[in-house]
Amino acid sequence: CGIFSLGGKFSQFAAVSVGGLLANVAAFSVSFAVLSLLLPLGTLVVANISVLVATGVSLTWNFLGYKLFVFRS
């Protein structure tokens, strides 16, 4: 529980967080591209649906990453 283990935990936390950011951007981009081709809706509606999809993906990524890699006991 010294300074080195704290740095290791911070590295894990930062890695999961950056992964969550990348997952969010990727999920938004993919869902926006796919939904805009499949659904005859306006751009704003498709963007809002894509935001919801991306939020769910990044929330799941962060939860599982923190649970399984950062704060495991």
Side-chain angles (χ1 to χ4, degrees), residues 5 7-17 65-66 69-72:
S5 66
K9 287 292 182 189
F10 179 75
S11 307
Q12 292 171 337
F13 183 83
V16 170
S17 296
Y66 295 145
F69 299 111
V70 180
F71 298 117
R72 66 180 172 208

Side-chain angles (χ1 to χ4, degrees), residues 2 10 15 22 27-28 31 34 36 53 61:
F10 179 75
L22 296 175
F28 176 81
S31 64
V34 170
S36 63
V53 169
W61 171 273

